[in-house]
Amino acid sequence: MSHAPSPTPSEALELLLSGNRRFTAGTPEHPNQDAARRAETAPAQRPFAVLFGCSDSRLAAEIIFDRGLGDLFVVRTAGHVAGAEVLGSIEYAVSVLDCPLVVVLGHDTCGAVAATRTALTDGVNVTGYVRDVIERVTPSVLAARAAGLTEEDDIIAEHIRQTVDLLLDRSRVLADQVAAGRTAVVGLSYRLADGSARLVTTHGLPTGVTR
């Protein structure tokens, strides 16, 4: 695999957002999806971003950001809830693979957030491991309530912010990478209907970096 210089965190974010703009416009380029790229990436990987998103089947990262093989290191759980395995995967990507960008990707009509809101409002008892997902989303919903947020989009955005903060609070490896300027962490919110991803929060990017 070629050893071109890794993009900066800002450049990595622009690669993602420009791909999303192509996707929403219906003009995807499908980069890095051919036999040559397959052969190039077989010996090693050098993804330019970690994509930590919801497991929702409508959030296929390489499609909605118009990327290909070896571009993204993807970690997914329902409601993008983070446990030890998630943190370890992200730390591997930033410390071993030198990913300059970590993205938390949430979306509207998130089932995990909706189930958590219902459980808190109606006292619905959820069994099995789904309860663990709801327990991990609960702090975000409670934080949104405390802030007076009632609209779905605002609650989803708060859950994304809470997840970003949790990653930085719990992972010293990630926090140190951000403090050193080697990695940035951002939160994006995806709209299922139009396919657009908007910036919710950033850590480690220059002031004024927006969509």
Side-chain angles (χ1 to χ4, degrees):
M1 188 171 182
S2 62
H3 292 284
S6 296
T8 66
S10 296
E11 290 168 344
L13 179 60
E14 178 53 31
L15 282 172
L16 276 185
L17 295 182
S18 61
N20 181 244
R21 289 191 288 269
R22 294 193 300 271
F23 172 70
T24 58
T27 57
E29 297 175 356
H30 306 294
N32 298 330
Q33 296 182 20
D34 57 9
R37 180 64 168 181
R38 185 177 69 235
E40 181 187 14
T41 57
Q45 60 172 321
R46 295 187 67 209
F48 69 81
V50 183
L51 211 303
F52 173 38
C54 182
S55 297
D56 192 293
S57 61
R58 297 163 291 183
L59 254 68
E62 285 85 358
I63 294 176
I64 67 176
F65 292 109
D66 193 28
R67 301 309 313 176
L69 298 173
D71 289 335
L72 305 178
F73 188 91
V74 181
V75 183
R76 299 175 69 181
T77 64
H80 53 81
V81 298
E85 297 86 354
V86 167
L87 291 166
S89 297
I90 293 172
E91 288 186 350
Y92 173 80
V94 300
S95 64
V96 177
L97 302 180
D98 296 322
C99 284
L101 182 69
V102 175
V103 176
V104 173
L105 180 66
H107 67 96
D108 56 355
T109 66
C110 177
V113 173
T116 302
R117 295 177 67 187
T118 299
L120 291 173
T121 301
D122 302 335
V124 176
N125 185 27
V126 180
T127 60
Y129 287 103
V130 175
R131 181 170 60 185
D132 185 66
V133 173
I134 288 176
E135 288 175 351
R136 295 186 188 211
V137 177
T138 293
S140 297
V141 175
L142 293 178
R145 284 186 177 181
L149 304 176
T150 58
E151 298 296 324
E152 182 198 45
D153 285 352
D154 295 332
I155 296 169
I156 294 294
E158 181 61 28
H159 181 42
I160 293 168
R161 284 189 289 267
Q162 291 281 329
T163 303
V164 168
D165 290 346
L166 182 147
L167 296 182
L168 291 167
D169 288 344
R170 292 190 58 189
S171 173
R172 175 56 62 85
V173 170
L174 180 57
D176 287 348
Q177 290 281 102
V178 172
R182 291 190 292 269
T183 304
V185 184
V186 306
L188 297 177
S189 183
Y190 179 76
R191 290 185 178 274
L192 295 170
D194 65 19
S196 64
R198 68 179 180 88
L199 202 57
V200 172
T201 185
T202 69
H203 292 262
L205 289 177
T207 303
V209 173
T210 60
R211 169 127 190 182

